[in-house]
Amino acid sequence: MPRASGPLAEALGRRSLVLDGGLSNQLAAQGCDLSGALWSGRVLAERPDQIEAAHTAYARAGAEVLITASYQVGYDAFAAHGHDRAATTALLRRSVDLAVRAAEAADHEVWVAASVGPYGAVLADGSEYRGRYGLTVRELADFHRPRIEALLAAGPDVLALETVPDPDEAEALLGILAGTGARAWLSYTVEGGRTRSGLPLPEAFALAAGTPEVIALGVNCCDPSEVLPALEAAASVTRAPLVAYPNDGSVWDAATRTWHAPEEAAPWPTAAWRRAGARLTGGCCRIGPDRIAALAAAAGAGPPRGK
């Protein structure tokens, strides 16, 4: 069986697909040391076998899309830890190669999405949950462009422009992709029915509506209760497939580098998400292979929304 029978966008036109879960929590479950500012990027540099093992765990759970370990890999952040530009480029490409190897070993079709995390992720101070970094759209584009170029050179199926807190950053990312022929999904992190930076969601999603490079729009790394209203907001401005991969409802404390879990586990009304248009569904932080296996077992193929 080929790793993937065709472009991800075509597959989304036929059926719903299951994403993987949180990479960092799976690495922690495997005994990896995630201390320090580089987070999972440190494991990518020092223990690539553990990254591949984490991808394999999700593929075995039924994930049909694996997201690479490039979320927090940035040139300046890695330079501060002794990695020159060539070494960081090699790590970005390695992140794709490791996911591809896990995908090729799976017993079902698996696509690879290269993670393009937000600017705030490389700061390791929780900025991705606030946005408004004080940078212009051009400065944000200058930060992201070399990362995206290195990832695209490694040949992923799609880019995951994920955990984006601010439409300014979305504008920068979309500007880089314009006219390249590359394919991506764009997912905001949201709170209270708005982007983390406070913009109404229909306005935020409208930035990418109709953009040919964007094959799906949605949300990730948010409370599960935020997903359905966000999908409905996206559906009000686009007919594109939607994507949803929340965390478990926990809140990240950047000062202590710990998650504060909710008193009660949040429900995951995935059937309602799919009715709203979600064609890519999975998990983010603190969602492991067991939850992905349950999603895969419950997922059913159906006609695209509006057909």
Side-chain angles (χ1 to χ4, degrees):
M1 175 183 291
R3 178 171 65 78
S5 60
L8 181 61
E10 292 182 5
L12 293 177
R14 298 190 300 269
R15 62 186 180 90
S16 298
L17 298 176
V18 178
L19 298 172
D20 60 8
L23 182 63
S24 60
N25 49 269
Q26 179 58 23
L27 292 173
Q30 293 171 192
C32 297
D33 183 358
L34 298 175
S35 62
L38 298 183
W39 201 245
S40 60
R42 174 182 173 184
V43 185
L44 176 65
E46 298 177 359
R47 292 295 308 276
D49 60 309
Q50 291 292 330
I51 299 290
E52 185 175 352
H55 289 318
T56 298
Y58 282 116
R60 288 176 176 168
E64 297 165 284
V65 182
L66 300 176
I67 302 174
T68 66
S70 47
Y71 177 80
Q72 287 187 292
V73 181
Y75 285 94
D76 291 344
F78 272 67
H81 290 81
H83 297 267
D84 64 19
R85 195 169 189 83
T88 301
T89 296
L91 286 176
L92 288 165
R93 294 186 179 184
R94 174 189 285 179
S95 72
V96 176
D97 292 342
L98 293 169
V100 167
R101 283 168 55 177
E104 289 176 341
D107 62 0
H108 57 278
E109 285 189 288
V110 179
W111 287 261
V112 170
S115 174
V116 181
Y119 175 80
V122 304
L123 301 179
D125 64 358
S127 293
E128 65 263 51
Y129 300 116
R130 298 190 297 271
R132 299 301 184 192
Y133 315 117
L135 301 180
T136 65
V137 171
R138 176 175 292 183
E139 289 170 330
L140 288 167
D142 289 343
F143 167 79
H144 283 295
R145 185 174 290 106
R147 305 168 72 211
I148 288 175
E149 290 174 347
L151 289 168
L152 287 176
D157 297 295
V158 66
L159 298 177
L161 312 178
E162 58 179 354
T163 325
V164 178
D166 194 322
D168 285 351
E169 190 158 22
E171 181 181 348
L173 291 164
L174 295 172
I176 294 168
L177 295 186
T180 64
R183 295 293 180 260
W185 77 65
L186 172 66
S187 57
Y188 288 102
T189 177
V190 300
E191 184 176 33
R194 292 173 173 261
T195 67
R196 296 281 186 163
S197 62
L199 194 75
L201 290 180
E203 184 178 342
F205 287 124
L207 282 175
T211 301
E213 291 80 12
V214 175
I215 66 168
L217 280 169
V219 292
N220 78 289
C221 210
C222 60
D223 190 288
S225 66
E226 299 276 356
V227 171
L228 185 57
L231 294 179
E232 292 171 343
S236 73
V237 298
T238 183
R239 300 302 296 172
L242 304 182
V243 56
Y245 51 119
N247 56 38
D248 70 343
S250 296
V251 176
W252 175 247
D253 185 333
T256 61
R257 295 179 61 81
T258 57
W259 287 98
H260 296 296
E263 292 184 3
E264 296 183 6
W268 278 52
T270 53
W273 300 349
R274 288 195 294 272
R275 287 194 297 270
R279 305 292 281 172
L280 285 165
T281 306
C284 201
C285 299
R286 295 168 63 83
I287 301 300
D290 54 345
R291 177 62 66 89
I292 299 307
L295 284 178
R305 189 184 72 240
K307 298 292 186 178

